[in-house]
Amino acid sequence: MSLSCTWHLWEKSFRVGKCLPAISNSLRHYRNRPTHNIGRMHGLEKPKPPPVRKKEVGTWKPEEYKAVKENHLDALNFIVSGYDIVLVEQYAKFVHQLMIKFKQNILEVYALPSSNAVVKKMLGADQRLLKAMTPEIELTMYKRIIQVKDMPSQTYPILLQTLMHYIPQSITLKVDKHNEEQHLSRYQYRVELAEEKAMLQQLYDSR
Amino acid sequence: MALKKVFFSLPVCSSRWISTSCSRSAGFQGSKANIPLEMKLRMIERKKRRVEKLSKQPLAFIPITDFFIPYSWKMDKRARSKLEISEEEEDKRVLLEKEWARKTFRSRKQESWKIKLLLRHQQRALEELRQESEKLYNAALQCEDLSIPFTCRGPVQSTPLEGYLPPLGGYEHTDPLFSKDDLSLPEV
């Protein structure tokens, strides 16, 4: 529709019925054309990364955890651990929110499998060994990890200060570099593979 | 031939038949002390291939059992009795919550402002240092002197009691599920 055409429509509608025409300024829609939505900025989707292949689940890739820029730290693990799950979760949430506020590159936030601590009491003289003592209570140690990469070395002490200020009771915060051992502690122990490797080692030794 | 006919006529599924004849893949049945070198090398090759095949399998996550609820808790109808609070008490509680919200908001705002100030001062100090000498500026940004294996423990709720004798005992720590070989026999 040309500009002159719309102007005629407006004039006619005002002269005839003193009302606005039903057709609005529809010069820019072109829904059937390839240029549709040309200036659109809202509702855009980020390109999704390719899904992890089944074979590569659990493989250790050290390049992913190295700092990209100079004077920036490699992948750090902020490990929040304690016996009270409520406090652990709340503090882990606090640490995560703080990282977001400081605009850090958060790689992953995950939980490590929990381990038990059995508190045992010695009730008699025959219970001298730890195994023989009577168990009183079983406490589970919960752990949450916030993995952060490319942290500038000057913001690290400031972040630590704030975290130290807010740490709740009975919680331990540990900051460590991410390495293969910590990476593999999330995964199950492969019994068959270990047995086969032991047998192979035996064959090598017996040569 | 007659036996074969009998077998085919019987209405029995094939998976129930167990063969008692010797199998091809029984393995080396002799003593493993004196094996010829060739055989050993072949065995080593086979083991290597088996290890490679197993190590290509994807790793499985250890399941997180933090929020597993005992089944018995789900079966009974467990519910707390309803507390009856007077209107006055309820109003008091609501007003207290609002007071707390105001206080925390103010303190959080102050703390975020302090952090921003700290960062600003730090940035300015680094800029000044850079103008003084490039070498010192680079040394200040190094990642080596930072306390990277860092531990911090939260406070304890109560101080230790005076003259308290704790009972004799100990702590036994167990590893997480599936993180080690549970099938091996325990120490006697």
Side-chain angles (χ1 to χ4, degrees):
Chain A
M1 275 218 180
S2 61
L3 269 168
S4 51
C5 189
T6 44
W7 175 243
H8 280 302
L9 264 174
W10 272 86
E11 264 198 320
K12 198 173 180 181
S13 57
F14 266 103
R15 267 187 276 131
V16 168
K18 291 195 181 173
C19 63
L20 291 167
I23 308 161
S24 57
N25 189 5
S26 56
L27 289 171
R28 302 239 174 267
H29 284 284
Y30 301 120
R31 272 183 284 176
N32 56 339
R33 303 287 171 92
T35 47
H36 183 54
N37 280 336
I38 193 159
R40 183 179 174 157
M41 292 308 284
H42 66 278
L44 295 173
E45 274 183 28
K46 279 187 198 170
K48 286 180 192 168
V52 182
R53 289 170 66 199
K54 222 176 174 184
K55 272 191 209 176
E56 286 165 25
V57 169
T59 46
W60 168 244
K61 291 176 192 168
E63 319 89 49
E64 268 186 29
Y65 303 107
K66 288 237 161 95
V68 174
K69 298 170 200 168
E70 220 185 290
N71 291 326
H72 284 236
L73 292 158
D74 295 338
L76 285 177
N77 278 353
F78 287 79
I79 308 165
V80 177
S81 58
Y83 291 107
D84 189 354
I85 192 163
V86 174
L87 290 174
V88 166
E89 292 253 291
Q90 285 180 346
Y91 191 60
K93 182 182 167 186
F94 173 77
V95 175
H96 189 203
Q97 294 287 354
L98 200 77
M99 297 299 164
I100 291 166
K101 215 173 182 184
F102 275 73
K103 292 170 190 164
Q104 299 299 321
N105 181 11
I106 300 163
L107 290 176
E108 234 185 314
V109 179
Y110 57 88
L112 275 183
S114 52
S115 56
N116 289 358
V118 184
V119 181
K120 290 189 159 179
K121 260 191 188 172
M122 191 177 119
L123 294 177
D126 54 329
Q127 290 185 348
R128 260 176 233 146
L129 291 172
L130 189 68
K131 285 167 203 166
M133 293 183 199
T134 44
E136 170 125 350
I137 194 167
E138 196 172 328
L139 302 164
T140 32
M141 176 71 121
Y142 301 102
K143 285 185 186 172
R144 298 284 183 271
I145 290 189
I146 297 104
Q147 214 170 75
V148 177
K149 194 184 142 180
D150 267 331
M151 191 187 279
S153 54
Q154 63 261 33
T155 49
Y156 174 72
I158 295 171
L159 272 170
L160 266 192
Q161 266 184 38
T162 38
L163 291 175
M164 283 206 293
H165 182 71
Y166 279 105
I167 197 162
Q169 69 220 17
S170 75
I171 297 289
T172 316
L173 173 73
K174 193 177 173 190
V175 186
D176 219 348
K177 277 194 178 163
H178 189 61
N179 50 21
E180 200 175 350
E181 210 187 294
Q182 287 196 27
H183 174 82
L184 290 174
S185 65
R186 285 176 88 179
Y187 300 102
Q188 292 181 20
Y189 180 75
R190 292 192 283 195
V191 182
E192 249 192 75
L193 179 65
E195 279 176 4
E196 296 288 322
K197 274 187 174 170
M199 279 199 257
L200 184 65
Q201 194 59 43
Q202 262 185 4
L203 285 169
Y204 274 132
D205 293 334
S206 62
R207 255 198 302 184
Chain B
M1 275 304 281
L3 257 172
K4 227 180 181 176
K5 277 190 188 165
V6 168
F7 282 162
F8 284 133
S9 65
L10 285 169
V12 174
C13 66
S14 56
S15 56
R16 274 166 156 243
W17 297 104
I18 302 160
S19 152
T20 48
S21 59
C22 60
S23 66
R24 268 192 188 178
S25 56
F28 183 65
Q29 299 294 331
S31 70
K32 292 187 181 170
N34 296 316
I35 305 171
L37 192 71
E38 275 179 19
M39 209 163 169
K40 255 192 196 168
L41 289 170
R42 263 185 274 154
M43 284 165 86
I44 286 169
E45 281 296 306
R46 261 182 278 146
K47 266 285 166 299
K48 261 197 205 169
R49 267 182 269 146
R50 179 105 181 105
V51 164
E52 263 178 50
K53 192 185 171 188
L54 283 176
S55 51
K56 275 185 190 168
Q57 279 173 5
L59 287 161
F61 278 112
I62 297 176
I64 304 292
T65 53
D66 290 351
F67 302 108
F68 281 22
I69 302 167
Y71 193 64
S72 55
W73 293 8
K74 291 182 189 173
M75 298 310 286
D76 299 322
K77 285 188 182 174
R78 300 171 59 175
R80 280 188 193 166
S81 53
K82 214 177 180 182
L83 264 177
E84 282 181 16
I85 314 164
S86 61
E87 263 194 56
E88 280 174 14
E89 181 66 36
E90 220 181 300
D91 286 343
K92 265 190 192 174
R93 287 186 186 191
V94 168
L95 288 167
L96 186 69
E97 271 182 37
K98 284 186 178 285
E99 187 73 45
W100 175 249
R102 260 177 253 140
K103 194 182 172 185
T104 43
F105 175 72
R106 216 183 299 157
S107 66
R108 276 294 190 107
K109 218 175 167 181
Q110 275 176 354
E111 268 140 16
S112 67
W113 167 243
K114 276 183 195 169
I115 289 168
K116 279 184 188 169
L117 212 87
L118 251 178
L119 283 167
R120 220 189 289 167
H121 286 325
Q122 199 186 46
Q123 205 60 39
R124 218 174 146 195
L126 282 169
E127 276 168 31
E128 293 282 314
L129 187 66
R130 194 168 198 177
Q131 281 173 9
E132 275 290 320
S133 78
E134 191 77 31
K135 221 180 176 181
L136 284 174
Y137 174 75
N138 287 330
L141 289 179
Q142 288 294 317
C143 304
E144 282 154 5
D145 291 332
L146 299 168
S147 54
I148 289 290
F150 172 82
T151 36
C152 173
R153 292 223 175 113
V156 185
Q157 206 170 37
S158 56
T159 48
L161 294 168
E162 278 181 36
Y164 173 68
L165 282 170
L168 293 167
Y171 304 95
E172 199 170 31
H173 294 275
T174 55
D175 289 316
L177 281 173
F178 308 125
S179 62
K180 56 165 191 182
D181 189 9
D182 295 330
L183 299 170
S184 56
L185 291 167
E187 288 171 18
V188 176

